[in-house]
């Protein structure tokens, strides 16, 4: 049986030994080098007290122990949580429309998807245990089955987000919280990496930002603004904007969204006062905010649709794409609907002014997603600058940059840099597009076979591919800084919290990494270890 106190014990032993050795820089460095990411995960997340026989398993996508009653829709999960029940949300895969159910769940379990699927990324950001890609699970009518075993809605299961195990019934959990040595050792790590590699967090709400700051984040490297549109009171407004029949209807919906988005920005900027916050303008395709074509078509055939649902079905079919992740999203959506980006920038500037008037010091970086050419970025930059100029206030400290997340953008980084104040590498999409792998499909079936046969040294969505994706990163850094010396660069893909990837990011000269809030301590530790390793060469 595993000793569940190993992480805490390792921290205590490391700090005690360093203090006993005279508390020198060398002893502190030795202590930092002796701790692993697994040690920190052990003390950050709840763990099961004992081992158990798993019903099935998938990919451990977000560590921790999750126990609760099974529900199969976001609405049912939210209703159960309102009744005071502990919930595990089970889906084939999640989408932004499921967020209200995901946020109340003790755990997430999906039959499809990989380590950078929607469920995995959102769960890591919230510190919610998650198992994805459990493809032996077959979801039926308010139940799921694994072979001959049937689990009904309302039955209790336990999931281990580190191992990927799914267990029938309620398992006991233990979480004593991090020992004092956790904070001591990370303070030593911060001293070592100071001036080398900063650590930010990916956070989308004021609560996420506060948690990130508590865990030592030095800013936000990625604020995904689309998550602000998904609350129950906002999604209908987004849909009104999509369904608008004329400019007046679209403008009214955008104005309403702008008001709520300003409040969201204020919460995040307040939590990160005096620290940089990188706000990414809307990235996903519009169809993600609409009901699925399949669901509406089925309802049309069985129950019939209301007038609004008929409009939604027409819009969903209009915006549907065969390959939406390489379709009309990011800046491409902004080109078709520039009012969206203009609204977001106005809301952001209003939030900045409100906080300045209150005596706070917001630091804002506006990030344009998915640019592939310099003219594209120049156009999007002009939208932002036009809104800044319209305020007639001094916003000269607001910087405008872009995500480098396609091979073309990496290859043309020197050209794109002339219109960018910073680069942020989106390594999830860069990995997907470099390999030609669908990040939602390959990890459960194909990836295990490739790893077993030695066709890949590691899952490239987990640890950065050093020779392909890594080569593009090196080239982009070199070209970008040759064109604009001192250009600030960071990484905001999930690799920002992976120890092996962080070594490469330090080596090629990035200024910061950004990762999910609960991975911030691991990034702080690993960044220090990377600095120590490079200084010893």
């Amino acid at each position: 049986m595993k000793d569940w106190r190993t992480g805490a014990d390792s921290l205590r032993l490391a700090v005690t030994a360093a203090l006993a050795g005279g508390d020198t820089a060398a002893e502190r460095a030795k202590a930092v080098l002796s701790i692993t990411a697994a040690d920190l995960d052990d003390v950050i997340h709840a763990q099961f007290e004992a081992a158990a026989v798993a019903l099935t398993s998938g990919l451990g996508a977000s560590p921790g122990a999750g126990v609760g009653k099974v529900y199969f829709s976001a609405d049912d999960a939210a209703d159960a949580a309102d009744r005071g029940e502990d919930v595990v949300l089970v889906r084939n895969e999640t989408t932004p429309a499921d967020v209200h159910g995901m946020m109340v769940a003790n755990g997430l379990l999906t039959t499809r998807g990989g380590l950078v699927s929607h469920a995995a990324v959102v769960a890591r950001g919230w510190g919610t245990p998650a198992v994805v890609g459990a493809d032996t699970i077959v979801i039926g009518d308010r139940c799921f089955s694994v072979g001959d075993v049937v689990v009904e809605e309302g039955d209790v299961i336990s999931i281990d987000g580190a191992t990927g195990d799914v267990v029938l019934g309620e398992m006991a959990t233990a979480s004593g919280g991090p020992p004092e040595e956790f904070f001591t050792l990370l303070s030593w790590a911060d001293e070592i990496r100071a001036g080398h590699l900063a650590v930010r967090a990916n956070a989308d709400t004021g609560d996420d930002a506060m948690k990130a700051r508590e865990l030592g984040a030095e800013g936000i490297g990625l604020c995904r603004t689309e998550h602000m549109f998904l609350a129950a009171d906002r999604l209908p407004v987004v849909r009104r904007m999509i369904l608008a029949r004329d400019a007046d209807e679209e403008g009214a919906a955008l104005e309403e969204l702008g008001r709520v988005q300003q409040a969201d920005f204020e919460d995040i900027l307040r939590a990160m006062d005096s620290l940089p916050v990188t706000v990414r303008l809307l990235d996903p395709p519009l169809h993600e905010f609409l009901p699925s074509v399949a669901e509406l078509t089925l309802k049309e055939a069985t129950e019939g649709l209301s007038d609004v649902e008929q409009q939604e079905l027409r819009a969903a079919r209009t915006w549907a794409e065969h390959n939406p992740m390489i379709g009309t999203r990011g800046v491409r959506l902004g080109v078709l609907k520039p009012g969206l980006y203009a609204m977001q920038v106005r809301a952001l500037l209003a939030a900045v002014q409100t906080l300045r008037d209150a005596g706070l010091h917001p630091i804002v970086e506006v990030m344009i997603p998915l640019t592939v050419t310099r003219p594209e970025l120049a156009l999007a930059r002009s939208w932002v600058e036009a809104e800044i100029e319209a305020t007639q206030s001094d916003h000269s400290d607001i910087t405008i940059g872009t995500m480098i997340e396609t091979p073309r953008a990496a290859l043309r980084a020197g050209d794109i840099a002339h219109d960018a104040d910073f680069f942020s590498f989106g390594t999830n999409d860069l990995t997907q597009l470099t390999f030609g792998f669908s990040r939602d499909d390959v990890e459960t079936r194909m990836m295990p076979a490739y790893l077993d046969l030695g066709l890949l040294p590691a899952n490239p969505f987990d640890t950065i591919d050093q020779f392909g994706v890594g080569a593009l990163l090196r080239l982009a850094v070199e070209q970008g800084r040759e064109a604009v010396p001192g250009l600030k660069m960071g990484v905001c893909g999930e690799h920002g919290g992976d120890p092996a990837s962080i070594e490469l990011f330090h080596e090629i000269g990035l200024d910061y990494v950004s990762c999910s809030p609960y991975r911030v301590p691991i990034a702080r530790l690993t960044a220090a270890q990377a600095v120590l390793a490079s200084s010893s060469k």
Side-chain angles (χ1 to χ4, degrees), residues 243 296 307 309-319:
L243 300 176
L296 287 173
D307 290 344
E309 288 171 329
Q310 287 283 2
Q311 294 178 50
E312 290 175 345
L313 178 57
R314 286 193 294 270
R317 284 172 172 160
T318 298
W319 287 99

Side-chain angles (χ1 to χ4, degrees), residues 216-377:
E218 298 161 300
I220 291 178
L222 175 62
C223 172
R224 304 176 182 92
T225 54
E226 58 268 15
H227 288 177
M228 301 173 183
F229 291 165
L230 296 167
D233 60 335
R234 301 179 189 184
L235 191 56
V237 186
V238 179
R239 290 176 177 173
R240 285 210 309 273
M241 182 270 296
I242 297 172
L243 300 176
R245 291 166 295 187
D246 54 43
D248 288 342
E249 285 187 5
E250 180 175 288
L254 286 173
E255 184 177 351
E256 187 172 345
L257 285 174
R259 287 194 294 271
V260 294
Q261 187 140 78
Q262 178 184 339
D264 291 331
F265 287 141
E266 289 177 15
D267 287 344
I268 292 169
L269 294 172
R270 186 178 293 108
M272 282 288 165
D273 185 40
S274 300
L275 294 177
V277 174
T278 305
V279 176
R280 183 180 72 183
L281 301 183
L282 193 68
D283 182 48
L286 284 185
H287 78 86
E288 289 195 2
F289 299 101
L290 294 165
S292 76
V293 172
E295 289 177 1
L296 287 173
T297 301
L298 177 62
K299 187 175 181 182
E300 182 181 41
T302 56
E303 304 174 32
L305 299 178
S306 67
D307 290 344
V308 171
E309 288 171 329
Q310 287 283 2
Q311 294 178 50
E312 290 175 345
L313 178 57
R314 286 193 294 270
R317 284 172 172 160
T318 298
W319 287 99
E321 296 176 312
H322 290 294
N323 294 297
M325 286 300 96
I326 54 175
T328 310
R329 52 172 282 222
V331 69
R332 303 164 190 176
L333 180 59
V335 170
L336 296 184
K337 284 188 171 288
L340 259 177
Y341 277 12
M343 174 275 291
Q344 290 190 293
V345 175
R346 284 195 297 274
L348 180 58
L349 294 174
V352 167
Q353 193 59 55
T354 297
L355 295 185
R356 284 179 177 170
D357 292 344
L360 301 181
H361 300 88
I363 301 174
V364 171
E365 302 168 347
V366 179
M367 185 158 68
I368 311 297
L370 209 69
T371 53
V372 294
T373 71
R374 181 181 176 183
E376 201 175 35
L377 178 58

Side-chain angles (χ1 to χ4, degrees), residues 205-223:
T205 68
D207 288 343
D208 289 348
M210 289 178 64
K211 174 55 68 176
R213 193 160 190 162
E214 288 172 13
L215 292 170
E218 298 161 300
I220 291 178
L222 175 62
C223 172

Side-chain angles (χ1 to χ4, degrees), residues 30-103:
K30 186 190 298 184
V32 167
L33 289 171
S34 72
I35 297 301
T36 68
D39 291 330
L40 298 187
D41 262 340
D42 274 351
V43 300
I44 294 172
H45 301 284
Q47 309 288 336
F48 291 124
E49 290 183 345
V53 177
L55 170 65
T56 188
S57 62
L59 296 170
S62 180
V67 180
K69 294 182 179 180
V70 169
Y71 286 95
F72 297 96
S73 77
D75 289 343
D76 290 340
D79 290 343
D82 287 342
R83 296 193 298 268
E85 296 179 15
D86 292 329
V87 169
V88 173
L89 179 62
V90 181
R91 301 281 285 161
N92 283 319
E93 57 192 342
T94 65
T95 71
D98 295 315
V99 166
H100 63 291
M102 297 168 71
M103 68 174 54

Side-chain angles (χ1 to χ4, degrees), residues 503-520:
E503 293 179 18
L504 174 68
F505 301 147
H506 172 62
E507 180 188 338
I508 65 177
L510 296 189
D511 297 297
Y512 66 87
V513 297
S514 188
C515 57
S516 301
Y518 285 89
R519 294 180 114 179
V520 165

